Amino acid sequence: MKSPITISVIAPMYGVEPYIVHFAESLLSQRYPHIEYIFVNDGTKDRSVELLEELIERKYSHLKPQIKIIHKENGGLPAARRTGLDHATGDYIYHADSDDWLSEDAIARMAEKIAQSDADIVYFDFYKEYPTRTKAKRERDYRTDDQQEYVRNMYNHRSYASVWNKCVRRTLYTDNTIYTPQYGYAEDCYLMSQIVGYSRSIAHLDGYLYHYRKGNPNALTKQQRKRRKREYALNFIDLYEKYRDVPREKNPVAVIFDDIVIQAGWYSILYGLDLFREYPWLAEAIRRAKIRGKADVWIIAQIATKIFSLLK
């Protein structure tokens, strides 16, 4: 790919007042010169935008020609990312969360890997930052013809579906119909399943370029967990409905169709979600689905779900 490679970094902001300065410092201090910085104010009610603007005036005014701050009404994370995409002009798109932070020279290393590989997607390793410890998370190595395996592993949590450990050629967004999920939970997997499925080449950058701020994973109440499982199932049922009539050879997510319907059925049984009533076609889709290993739903639970579907 011809130099210079321009990278648009999209960072939605909502309720990140305690973190925005740290995040913005890590981004705006990147030494790679060809960055377009896009901050999307998703109708935040705190001082996140004010603190960002003060930081830019104080330390990074020389970058103002490269910085866009987009203001919109609150619509949730998926819509904020989409708004950022609508304003991006770079060769590649990189999504970051504004309560996390980037490693030093992260963008330069992405650009270097892109120049070496000309890959549609460069993905990399990261750190999970817990309140009292840091854990390094290394991604698997995939070859260029492993996209389907990558998509299925992302869906089944055997690889990382996060948007912030992938730098993506912008034409994957502009040359394909990429759908945005209704709900925020698992929105990154919903998006990246399509993007990776449409890609023609992928490359693993062996390096820890991102710091993902992780809270207490046990803090969810039972009711919150049920709501999240429902949002997860509804997002992917929607993805299934969007693509189920697309021929398999043109379908970026066909590889996870069986996983989607069986998991939706299992969640409906386990959490009392009543998805079989909401989606009358679900039972028949489960009956047609193949039982597969290496899935989030254990094989015994897949069998139970298929038996349940026979009774519907």
Side-chain angles (χ1 to χ4, degrees):
M1 186 171 185
K2 293 182 179 179
S3 295
I5 297 162
T6 56
I7 297 177
S8 296
V9 181
I10 299 170
M13 296 185 297
Y14 184 85
V16 291
E17 183 177 334
Y19 314 111
I20 186 62
V21 171
H22 184 198
F23 166 76
E25 287 264 19
S26 76
L27 175 58
L28 298 172
S29 63
Q30 296 285 314
R31 286 193 285 270
Y32 187 71
H34 308 293
I35 303 174
E36 179 182 50
Y37 307 91
I38 303 175
F39 296 92
V40 181
N41 169 22
D42 190 29
T44 190
K45 296 178 174 64
D46 62 9
R47 296 180 63 244
S48 298
V49 177
E50 181 182 342
L51 293 176
L52 173 64
E53 290 174 337
E54 289 175 357
L55 176 67
I56 293 170
E57 288 292 340
R58 186 172 72 251
K59 293 186 65 175
Y60 301 102
S61 58
H62 61 288
L63 292 176
K64 279 186 177 182
Q66 297 167 243
I67 298 173
K68 299 176 182 178
I69 301 178
I70 311 300
H71 301 278
K72 65 181 290 295
E73 293 183 2
N74 179 250
L77 185 56
R81 294 201 203 282
R82 173 59 64 179
T83 296
L85 280 167
D86 291 341
H87 289 82
T89 62
D91 300 311
Y92 279 73
I93 300 294
Y94 176 61
H95 292 285
D97 288 347
S98 50
D99 54 351
D100 300 329
W101 69 95
L102 281 74
S103 298
E104 186 178 359
D105 287 337
I107 304 298
R109 295 189 65 185
M110 293 180 210
E112 181 182 19
K113 187 68 175 182
I114 290 166
Q116 292 172 352
S117 65
D118 196 30
D120 284 346
I121 300 173
V122 167
Y123 67 99
F124 44 86
D125 312 316
F126 60 95
Y127 295 108
K128 275 189 176 181
E129 299 288 354
Y130 294 90
T132 59
R133 62 189 175 95
T134 296
K135 187 173 184 179
K137 304 296 288 185
R138 192 181 188 283
E139 183 57 282
R140 300 183 181 200
D141 285 311
Y142 293 98
R143 299 184 306 274
T144 283
D145 58 351
D146 288 337
Q147 283 94 322
Q148 287 197 347
E149 180 186 4
Y150 194 7
V151 170
R152 186 160 188 265
N153 282 347
M154 286 193 300
Y155 182 81
N156 287 293
H157 299 94
R158 292 173 176 268
S159 284
Y160 303 104
S162 310
V163 295
W164 36 254
N165 82 322
K166 299 171 186 66
C167 194
V168 175
R169 195 187 301 270
R170 185 165 63 92
T171 53
L172 285 179
Y173 291 99
T174 58
D175 292 357
N176 301 290
T177 300
I178 304 297
Y179 297 102
T180 300
Q182 179 179 356
Y183 301 101
Y185 190 58
E187 54 84 24
D188 45 2
C189 186
Y190 183 108
L191 178 63
M192 283 297 119
S193 294
Q194 299 172 79
I195 291 295
V196 174
Y198 277 125
S199 67
R200 291 172 295 181
S201 54
I202 54 178
H204 179 209
L205 194 170
D206 189 4
Y208 298 90
L209 306 189
Y210 193 81
H211 298 258
Y212 169 53
R213 195 184 301 273
K214 187 73 173 171
N216 181 0
N218 300 316
L220 287 178
T221 65
K222 183 178 180 180
Q223 189 63 30
Q224 287 173 320
R225 188 172 291 109
K226 179 177 179 178
R227 177 179 58 80
R228 284 198 168 192
K229 296 300 184 183
R230 178 175 173 79
E231 288 185 2
Y232 187 98
L234 291 179
N235 268 348
F236 284 98
I237 286 174
D238 173 70
L239 191 68
Y240 178 92
E241 289 185 321
K242 291 282 196 302
Y243 283 101
R244 65 180 168 183
D245 295 327
V246 177
R248 191 174 185 90
E249 64 273 12
K250 297 181 180 180
N251 190 327
V253 296
V255 69
I256 58 174
F257 271 11
D258 291 347
D259 296 301
I260 287 172
V261 296
I262 288 178
Q263 187 163 64
W266 177 240
Y267 280 180
S268 188
I269 297 167
L270 194 61
Y271 296 100
L273 302 182
D274 205 16
L275 297 177
F276 288 96
R277 181 185 60 80
E278 291 185 49
Y279 299 94
W281 54 263
L282 181 59
E284 175 60 28
I286 292 171
R287 290 194 286 269
R288 293 197 309 267
K290 295 179 181 178
I291 293 173
R292 299 178 181 273
K294 298 182 179 179
D296 267 5
V297 180
W298 293 357
I299 287 179
I300 189 67
Q302 294 183 51
I303 294 171
T305 304
K306 287 180 75 70
I307 292 172
F308 186 88
S309 72
L310 293 170
L311 306 176
K312 304 301 289 181

